[in-house]
Amino acid sequence: MPSREHGFVWAAIALAVTGVLFAALAAWTLVARSTIPAELDGTVTGIELRHEKHPGVDDVWMISVDDGDLRHVDTHVADLVDVGDAVEKSAWDTSLLVNGEPRPLSLSDDARAMLLLAPIIAVVVVSLTCATHVLSRPGRVDRTA
Amino acid sequence: MLGVGAVVLVGAAYGLLFADRTDYVGHFLAGAGATYWLLAVVVEAAPERRWPVVITVWVAVLLGVVTEATVFRLAEFDPVDLANQSLGAVLAGVGMLDARPYDRSSTVAAAAGLVLLVTGFFYAFA
């Protein structure tokens, strides 16, 4: 493979990997807010509502369980618990035990949408990379970095 | 131009999938717009190179980390906002990988960057 092609391929791979990592970060963060991936066992010690740019739309609900560390959760998760409630679940369980009573957990609409959008973005990045390279004019000078 | 089209396409997908969360598409467009501005300068200053484009995208991502952690930090440092604006930066970079100083890419990038940045701020804060 000519060195010019190597230069393009490695630079394109670097950007594509960067894009995939951030798509994964967005999807994982939104999934984690459902608490489905988390293991919980303790007492709710705090529930806090923080406002963002659009109060009522992008509100941030934070809860802490025993250790005091605040974790950002979906609105419907915050609605399931009160301060002092005992909560328990294993990682990846879709049910949360609140004072011994099971409460269903589910992914938010945002999480589902991001799980759909993330692979779409990955396909667009790869397609754009190929199209940009193919459509670039022939006879260009060597631009290998 | 192809890269700008891809940004608009993905921006439309954000708008459809996150109809209530206009801040998501706002961060995405603003990330792309700001990065296009940086790339418009870099392509002119460092012609015949591709890695400066990649490094500029990474610098834009780092600038995004700093702004999210400081001036744009409201309720918390939001990794989703960071990811959305970084994805815009990556798409802008991919579209400029084959850009050259003499093919009007910088002019297009500067003009598109301004429009995307203003539109992004509008959606993020309106």
Side-chain angles (χ1 to χ4, degrees), chain A residues 36-87:
Chain A
I36 288 174
E39 180 179 349
L40 296 174
D41 186 8
T43 302
V44 176
T45 55
I47 302 174
E48 185 179 336
L49 169 62
R50 298 178 183 177
H51 292 296
E52 261 280 351
K53 295 177 284 290
H54 306 99
V57 176
D58 52 4
D59 293 340
V60 173
W61 286 94
M62 314 287 285
I63 68 169
S64 57
V65 178
D66 280 345
D67 53 13
D69 287 343
L70 289 168
R71 68 177 72 214
H72 184 165
V73 298
D74 292 332
T75 301
H76 93 273
V77 174
D79 287 342
L80 294 176
V81 297
D82 286 312
V83 173
D85 284 347
V87 293

Side-chain angles (χ1 to χ4, degrees), chain A residues 4 8 15 18-19 22 33 50 52-54 57-58 72 110 129 131-133 136-137 140-141 143 145, chain B residues 2 18 20-21 48-51 58 61 74-76 78 83 87 90 94 97-100 103 124-126:
Chain A
R4 185 186 68 193
F8 181 88
L15 286 182
T18 304
F22 279 110
R33 288 174 185 170
R50 298 178 183 177
E52 261 280 351
K53 295 177 284 290
H54 306 99
V57 176
D58 52 4
H72 184 165
D110 283 356
T129 303
T132 299
H133 197 43
S136 62
R137 288 178 293 188
R140 61 181 185 266
V141 295
R143 303 193 303 113
Chain B
L2 202 59
F18 299 100
D20 295 333
R21 295 301 303 263
E48 320 305 340
R49 294 286 186 275
R50 288 181 170 117
W51 280 100
W58 289 342
V61 168
L74 300 177
E76 64 163 351
D78 191 348
L87 287 169
V90 167
V94 170
L97 267 182
D98 256 339
R100 286 155 291 176
D103 68 357
F125 291 100

Side-chain angles (χ1 to χ4, degrees), chain B residues 1-123:
Chain B
M1 288 296 288
L2 202 59
V4 176
V7 169
V8 172
L9 182 70
V10 173
Y14 266 96
L16 285 173
L17 290 169
F18 299 100
D20 295 333
R21 295 301 303 263
T22 58
D23 54 317
Y24 285 2
V25 68
H27 279 87
F28 172 76
L29 295 178
T35 306
Y36 267 130
W37 264 19
L38 292 176
L39 289 172
V41 175
V42 167
V43 167
E44 293 294 327
E48 320 305 340
R49 294 286 186 275
R50 288 181 170 117
W51 280 100
V53 172
V54 177
I55 292 168
T56 301
V57 169
W58 289 342
V59 167
V61 168
L62 285 175
L63 288 173
V65 172
V66 172
T67 55
E68 278 297 309
T70 54
V71 290
F72 294 130
R73 179 171 182 156
L74 300 177
E76 64 163 351
F77 178 89
D78 191 348
V80 180
D81 288 345
L82 172 65
N84 289 332
Q85 65 200 30
S86 300
L87 287 169
V90 167
L91 267 183
V94 170
M96 294 288 283
L97 267 182
D98 256 339
R100 286 155 291 176
Y102 44 83
D103 68 357
R104 291 183 300 171
S105 293
S106 296
T107 306
V108 172
L114 178 61
V115 172
L116 291 170
L117 194 57
V118 171
T119 307
F121 266 86
F122 173 78
Y123 277 118

Side-chain angles (χ1 to χ4, degrees), chain A residues 91-102:
Chain A
W92 300 107
D93 270 2
T94 55
S95 177
L96 174 68
L97 286 178
V98 181
N99 298 324
E101 293 184 13

